Amino acid sequence: MKNTIILVVFGLLFSTQITAQSDTNKEEKPVIKFEETVYNYGEIEVNSDGTCEFEFENTGEEPLLLTKVRAACGCTSPKWPKKPVKPGETETIKVKYNTRIKGSFTKSVMVYSNAEDSPVKLTIKGKVLDKKENDNN
């Protein structure tokens, strides 16, 4: 009987310790918060500047590190900060779409980091028009 009570008490203490550690680790993780996750170019002219920016902040308690940022296809190229983003700091991810490709588009960029909500999906969309088509609107 005495051994059973000791085992139960030990089990309760052990499970409480594990829960406390996992809650602590959760609070210490960085948090990536984007102002917007969708950028709409609207109608843009062929061969125009297809660059946009996604601003984000680390609202967590630990430094945020973007481990990789990947576009779904070769027509989209992202650039991102390689250094850790400190808590409270704001940074941007620049995405450039190849505006030599005419027509409507919707493309995604995946942002991988050490944040709890990784990956985050960013989306760009719009329609690239010939100069003639754009002049008629």
Side-chain angles (χ1 to χ4, degrees):
M1 178 73 175
K2 187 177 179 182
N3 288 341
T4 306
I5 292 173
I6 291 172
L7 285 174
V8 168
V9 170
F10 180 73
L12 288 172
L13 288 173
F14 183 72
S15 66
T16 304
Q17 181 66 22
I18 289 174
T19 304
Q21 285 179 353
S22 65
D23 287 345
T24 302
N25 291 340
K26 192 179 257 189
E27 291 172 13
E28 292 177 0
K29 281 201 167 243
V31 177
I32 187 168
K33 182 176 183 229
F34 282 89
E35 287 290 316
E36 299 289 333
T37 57
V38 177
Y39 185 87
N40 188 348
Y41 290 87
E43 292 182 345
I44 57 175
E45 200 172 288
V46 70
N47 294 322
S48 61
D49 181 18
T51 304
C52 68
E53 294 184 354
F54 290 93
E55 187 174 287
F56 66 92
E57 180 182 2
N58 178 3
T59 60
E61 300 296 321
E62 292 292 318
L64 171 69
L65 182 61
L66 303 185
T67 53
K68 70 179 171 179
V69 180
R70 295 287 182 252
C73 73
C75 60
T76 308
S77 58
K79 290 188 180 181
W80 65 96
K82 305 298 192 267
K83 65 175 183 62
V85 180
K86 295 177 185 171
E89 281 187 342
T90 301
E91 281 286 351
T92 59
I93 295 173
K94 294 181 181 180
V95 177
K96 184 169 180 131
Y97 179 72
N98 181 355
T99 59
R100 289 180 287 177
I101 304 168
K102 297 176 206 164
S104 296
F105 65 91
T106 301
K107 303 295 177 183
S108 62
V109 174
M110 299 302 288
V111 179
Y112 297 89
S113 70
N114 63 336
E116 188 170 319
D117 55 348
S118 178
V120 176
K121 180 181 177 182
L122 304 177
T123 304
I124 60 170
K125 60 184 180 177
K127 185 174 184 179
V128 178
L129 302 174
D130 265 337
K131 185 170 176 32
K132 294 174 194 170
E133 289 180 64
N134 207 13
D135 289 341
N136 291 334
N137 290 335

